[in-house]
Amino acid sequence: MSTFILAFVFFLIIFLIMAVGYLFQRKTISGSCGGLGALGIEKACDCPEPCDRKKARMEKERIREEKLKEWKDNQII
């Protein structure tokens, strides 16, 4: 049982140290390999064009941005 408590306390201390580091530096933990960008892959999917769900999301975002721009143009200040 003491081994479990010791391991728990150790991980709790490490977790707290990482939390304090995040609060001071505002940087997330990142790997040393650079991720997919280091391999020359720009996105997780190597499809030539986005899937239908992504296209629908992009269209919704475009419409929202147009409405926001229109609203700002017509805004009375």
Side-chain angles (χ1 to χ4, degrees):
M1 184 69 175
S2 64
T3 305
F4 173 74
I5 293 172
L6 185 63
F8 181 75
V9 169
F10 175 75
F11 282 109
L12 186 62
I13 290 170
I14 296 298
F15 183 74
L16 289 173
I17 290 171
M18 290 189 321
V20 169
Y22 174 76
L23 289 175
F24 283 115
Q25 295 183 352
R26 295 286 185 207
K27 287 175 60 178
T28 58
I29 298 172
S30 60
S32 61
C33 67
L36 293 175
L39 300 173
I41 301 172
E42 294 180 15
K43 55 185 180 176
C45 174
D46 251 356
C47 303
E49 66 178 57
C51 65
D52 293 336
R53 285 178 48 202
K54 174 81 174 181
K55 285 180 186 178
R57 227 176 314 146
M58 289 169 50
E59 182 65 22
K60 279 174 124 177
E61 184 178 324
R62 185 188 63 77
I63 291 170
R64 183 179 181 278
E65 287 176 5
E66 285 177 0
K67 285 182 180 180
L68 217 110
K69 184 180 180 300
E70 182 182 339
W71 179 79
K72 284 188 179 193
D73 289 343
N74 294 330
Q75 186 178 13
I76 299 173
I77 294 179

